[in-house]
Amino acid sequence: MDTIFSLAQGQFTLNRVPVRQQETLRAWDAADELVLDYLHQHHSNDLISSSKVLIINDQFGALSIALNKTQLSNWSDSFIAHQAVKFNCQQNNVTPVQCISSIADLEGSYDFVIIKVQKSLAQLEDQLHRLRPHLTANTVIIGCSMVKMLHSSTLALFENIIGSTKTSLAKKKARLIFSQYQPTLAVKDNPYPQSFSLDNRQWDILNHANVFSRAKLDIGCRFFMDNLPSTQKYKRIIDLGCGSGIIGMVAASLHPNAQIDFYDESYMAIASAEHNFKQYFADHQQVSFQVDDCLTSRDKESADLILNNPPFHQQNAIGDFIAMQMFKQSFKTLISGGELWVIGNSHLQYQQKLKKIFNNCESMATNNKFVILRAIKK
Ligand code: SAM
């Protein structure tokens, strides 16, 4: 796959992270190229270099690296995106940029704001609300997006939260969004975070804007929580890809003496899981909340039960590569005799994949849509 990113700002080597052999996808897209080209044509390099620039949702660092001479901050909900920015900065010998987690608030005001529009409208809505106090009448605000992700509802968010908004013509299926900050605009309150009640437990689950199944219980999660293992032999349990933390919370109620460790690559997921857990398990002392790429930083042979409802995409790329990484790293993390329990849509064929890694895999429960699988490290 092409890793040379060439544009007016320079030539850079860019990789997706985690770096995979035989990667088929590039680390940037036409929307990144379009916005960088626009900045080069319409704003002098000297002006941008001396400006305070905020980049939101940069996926693998293309924008941050191309604009690296500025006082630049990178605001994202993805730990992996931040790892990618750091990795690619190092690889290209450019000054590391300041990475700000989506949970942290912004500071001061910005001269330029570049927003890579992602699929999640909720996340964009939350970001625009939290960005607004950091804008001035002089701030240049540019969104960039692939056309397939740009809808009238996306533009309405810019109009309703920032001010008057227009778009560029499309080029290579990408478009730019230009928004002008309007100080007098009457803006509604930010609706995030949101919460919902779990009907069969007395839990109110609070979720930040970018958390999986933010506004209601996912049906796969419901089936999983009703079929978790309850024998008392597990001492160190991991909720891998925890989202709002419901699976780990049910595990804590089934195994009150076990250590429960929550892992997710989304800062908002970990913050939500921590909030939810502490709300209902304040006395449960043995718990941790970790932002990580799967279980990369976890010691090997340090858990006896891993519970996992894997994602089927990274950013906009759909596939089972994260599920596979989760399964392989779970194998490494489990002690001998330890168990990985996975829920998936029946058509995803996780059973064969787990068998390849663990040499065994058994179905523990099924319904018309999902299967819950157990693989034991022998
Ligand atoms: N466990 C929750 C549930 O059952 O409702 C959420 C499951 S959701 C299908 C998958 C979760 O995996 C998301 O919260 C997502 O942020 C997380 N995730 C995606 N890629 C990840 C990665 N590389 N490392 C850790 N977590 C990841």
Side-chain angles (χ1 to χ4, degrees), residues 47-94:
L47 172 68
I48 298 181
S49 303
S50 58
S51 298
K52 213 175 146 201
V53 178
L54 176 68
I55 295 179
I56 305 178
N57 305 331
D58 192 8
Q59 289 171 291
F60 297 100
L63 301 174
S64 305
I65 282 155
L67 299 173
N68 75 80
K69 290 193 189 75
T70 61
Q71 305 162 53
L72 193 142
S73 304
N74 175 310
W75 198 34
S76 170
D77 186 42
S78 168
F79 172 79
I80 297 176
H82 279 166
Q83 294 295 98
V85 173
K86 288 175 190 163
F87 174 84
N88 283 318
C89 279
Q90 205 173 21
Q91 183 164 241
N92 289 281
N93 248 332
V94 306

